[in-house]
Amino acid sequence: MQLKPIAQTASGCTSSGCGGRSDQLTHLPKHIREKVHNHPCYSEQAHHHYARMHVAVAPACNIQCHYCNRKYDCTNESRPGVVSELLKPDQAVKKVMAVAANIPQMTVLGIAGPGDPLANPERTFETFRQITEKAPDIKLCVSTNGLALPEHVDALCEHNIDHVTITINCIDPDIGAKIYPWIFWNHQRIKGRKAAEILISQQQKGLQMLTDRGILVKVNSVMIPGINDQHLVEVSKVVKAKGAFLHNVMPLIAEKEHGTFYGIMGQRGPTTDELTALQDQCAGDMNMMRHCRQCRADAVGMLGEDRNEEFTLDKIEHMDIDYQQAMQQRAAYQQQIEQENQQQSRGEMVISLAALKSKKSLRPVLMAVASSGSGVINQHFGHAKEFLIYEANDMDVRFIGHRKVDLYCHGGDSCGEAESKLDKIIRALEGCEVVLCSKIGYEPWETLEQAGIQPNSEHAMEVIEEAVAAVYQEMADKGELTQQHHAWLATA
Amino acid sequence: MTYQIIETCVNCCACEPLCPSDAIIEARPHFLISAKKCTECEGDYIDPQCVSICPIEGAILDSFGKAANPIGSLTGIPAAQWVAMIAEVRASV
């Protein structure tokens, strides 16, 4: 197969191999690209190599969302925004230094909750102040609902925070009234449409103020079917016009046992197909983020890999950290990653399947990949807690998103129906025809095949995009791509 | 006349900086209101501040011992549905 670079389109190429290592960021101005380059939450390429952490220093919140319940921290769950261990700023700083010294890939510290960071300005800014002073090699970011954003923009600039995430679920107060039951504003609790109106206006004002000052802004939106799903296309346009550089559409997670309004009232989350379709619709307007794994407010580690247990308060108490020395090791490690990345991009990282174009109307294929990082297929099927999903078509290979296996709950059979782990994986891989991994046992192999998903461990340790392209080529050669996938026929 | 925080408080700290009388104590297992200091915000604000930001229904009682934010008043979840969910979760454990 001939490998050659794919031409960039004006709207920004969505191919994960596009431009080699610059992934979905190619359309951005150079100074912004440099800022996000090794930020695991923003750069699709970086999330294979770099890690981020959040510290839970901000418990208070100034609004209520229908997908949130402030009462819960069940030990069996790792829902986004939920947290187990609340830290004082001094404790948080100690933890950050301990993690940074032990995980040299950790480049980003975020404060995201469990409440709203800007509803806890003293705790949030004290943490950032100390980190800037003691660990200047760590990037800082903050995630907010936006209500208190305008009044804190100056302070954010002072603390040299260049990444801000605003959760914007709507720009229409009538829709907002169905998402936010109340806000706390000017010393009063305000409900209904008026509350949504104030929140929306503050979010938009804050977004504009930040981009005017050259601060990077990502917008998160929670996709709530029947409430804001179609509306998010409009949101995407508006936030892009105001200068947001990335829009991350996340699925609503709502289960009765979470005790949230949506969970109890039976509001469903989107299917993976609905989510991908909306992300595609929004992608025409702006750069979309597809690798977000909706981490918890106290997450530590590579995106999707929660290592918080290794750094609890009692454990870091006994760690003796020499940060000056750690900082040198970190710099050396990160330099090595950069060198490896550059070697990869000089090689055959860029995949084009344009050679297949002559064979007309080949259907696209979804493939699931088990990988523990570095952009290669290096994980045993049975060890994978999540799969990276790629789509191959006759033009290129693109990264679609993640599918988690244990969806936010690691409890035993007491949680819901006693579905076997393999059944759960098969359900999570719905729509995929191939699963690529480094190894796989006989029993899961058979069960997967019966479910219409072909396991494949022939490409162990290969670069993901290359392997996906190779498998797609094999399928094309066998004539499998001119027929429909039989699993689709069964459901059609 | 004074408010009282009870054990359903989740220690989210939201009320503490808002109190004009410094009546809120960051105690454990949960926050407390000093009965001596609490003025119910009279003379300072139209609405009592702790009651206005507290996200937990029933966590603050008024001077009559009644929930200042009754069940359903903040989340919008009807009381009957909330009770049924709690019963269901308890039964499954």
Side-chain angles (χ1 to χ4, degrees), chain A residues 58-62 64 66 69-72 86 88 119-120 122-123 181-184 186-189 191 256-262 264-265 414-415, chain B residues 8 10-14 16 18 26 28 45-47 49-57 69 73-78 81-82 85-86 88-89 92-93:
Chain A
C61 198
N62 46 11
Q64 174 73 51
H66 273 328
N69 172 5
R70 303 305 312 282
K71 272 182 217 175
Y72 275 70
L86 196 66
K88 303 254 182 234
N120 304 258
E122 291 84 9
R123 295 183 193 89
W182 60 262
I183 67 168
F184 182 79
N186 276 346
H187 297 282
Q188 282 181 301
R189 197 187 316 260
K191 298 183 177 180
K256 193 179 263 186
E257 58 270 28
H258 296 158
T260 62
F261 176 87
Y262 285 146
I264 288 174
M265 304 307 277
S414 61
C415 289
Chain B
T8 45
V10 295
N11 303 322
C12 82
C13 310
E16 193 266 339
L18 295 173
E26 193 176 339
R28 289 294 182 272
Y45 298 106
I46 300 165
D47 298 326
Q49 295 300 286
C50 58
V51 171
S52 298
I53 201 166
C54 181
I56 307 298
E57 293 163 349
N69 293 305
S73 66
L74 302 183
T75 60
I77 301 166
Q81 253 142 315
W82 178 253
M85 188 282 297
I86 296 287
E88 206 174 298
V89 169
S92 72
V93 174

Side-chain angles (χ1 to χ4, degrees), chain A residues 20-21 43 81 132 145 153 156 246 270 323 344 360 373 377 391 414:
Chain A
R21 49 200 292 281
S43 160
T132 307
N145 62 45
V153 165
L156 285 168
L246 201 64
Y323 200 78
Q344 270 191 350
K360 48 188 163 180
I377 301 167
E391 185 193 84
S414 61

Side-chain angles (χ1 to χ4, degrees), chain A residues 12 121 128 134 139 182 194 197 230 258 284 433 487:
Chain A
F128 283 149
K134 295 177 184 165
K139 295 181 186 196
W182 60 262
K194 195 181 169 203
E197 214 171 69
Q230 280 316 300
H258 296 158
E433 299 183 41

Side-chain angles (χ1 to χ4, degrees), chain A residues 447-460:
Chain A
T447 316
L448 281 165
E449 264 190 349
Q450 281 163 10
I453 304 170
Q454 183 60 51
N456 185 326
S457 55
E458 286 166 31
H459 297 274

Side-chain angles (χ1 to χ4, degrees), chain A residues 124-356:
Chain A
T124 297
F125 288 123
E126 174 59 17
T127 307
F128 283 149
R129 194 191 58 74
Q130 286 193 39
I131 293 295
T132 307
E133 185 192 311
K134 295 177 184 165
D137 62 336
I138 293 173
K139 295 181 186 196
L140 303 174
C141 61
V142 64
S143 187
T144 176
N145 62 45
L147 182 63
L149 182 54
E151 66 192 89
H152 291 298
V153 165
D154 287 341
L156 285 168
C157 293
E158 255 170 53
H159 285 273
N160 201 21
I161 293 159
D162 58 2
H163 300 80
V164 175
T165 302
I166 315 174
T167 301
I168 298 179
N169 295 318
C170 57
I171 46 170
D172 175 347
D174 288 318
I175 293 174
K178 295 177 191 166
I179 302 172
Y180 308 103
W182 60 262
I183 67 168
F184 182 79
W185 177 249
N186 276 346
H187 297 282
Q188 282 181 301
R189 197 187 316 260
I190 296 171
K191 298 183 177 180
R193 191 180 190 280
K194 195 181 169 203
E197 214 171 69
I198 296 166
L199 176 63
I200 290 165
S201 137
Q202 288 291 100
Q203 289 171 336
Q204 294 299 319
K205 190 175 162 194
L207 166 60
Q208 189 70 62
M209 288 170 77
L210 288 171
T211 56
D212 284 350
R213 283 165 171 75
I215 295 182
L216 287 183
V217 183
K218 179 186 75 175
V219 170
N220 272 352
S221 298
V222 180
M223 178 185 183
I224 311 158
I227 306 275
N228 72 346
D229 42 354
Q230 280 316 300
H231 180 59
L232 287 181
V233 179
E234 180 65 20
V235 170
S236 213
K237 281 185 193 145
V238 169
V239 300
K240 185 197 180 185
K242 288 212 163 77
F245 84 102
L246 201 64
H247 187 202
N248 178 30
V249 177
M250 309 180 292
L252 169 73
I253 300 163
E255 300 293 341
K256 193 179 263 186
E257 58 270 28
H258 296 158
T260 62
F261 176 87
Y262 285 146
I264 288 174
M265 304 307 277
Q267 169 67 49
R268 72 172 180 92
T271 63
T272 44
D273 281 353
E274 286 170 335
L275 179 67
T276 308
L278 178 63
Q279 287 175 334
D280 282 343
Q281 255 181 296
C282 296
D285 296 315
M286 77 183 300
N287 203 29
M288 293 295 299
M289 176 161 144
R290 294 174 191 271
H291 59 275
C292 170
R293 277 114 135 175
Q294 295 179 296
C295 46
R296 280 168 60 116
D298 57 350
V300 169
M302 303 290 274
L303 278 168
E305 176 201 351
D306 201 330
R307 290 178 62 180
N308 210 21
E309 282 302 300
E310 295 168 42
F311 299 99
T312 52
L313 273 186
D314 52 326
K315 286 178 188 156
I316 59 170
E317 190 107 342
H318 306 292
M319 292 182 191
D320 197 19
I321 310 291
D322 177 353
Y323 200 78
Q324 285 307 315
Q325 200 199 334
M327 204 148 71
Q328 285 174 11
Q329 288 167 351
R330 289 166 50 76
Y333 185 90
Q334 289 166 17
Q335 201 183 353
Q336 196 192 334
I337 292 178
E338 287 310 299
Q339 276 169 1
E340 281 170 16
N341 275 352
Q342 268 165 21
Q343 275 164 10
Q344 270 191 350
S345 70
R346 271 201 300 274
E348 298 180 344
M349 193 51 193
V350 182
I351 308 300
S352 170
L353 295 180
L356 289 172

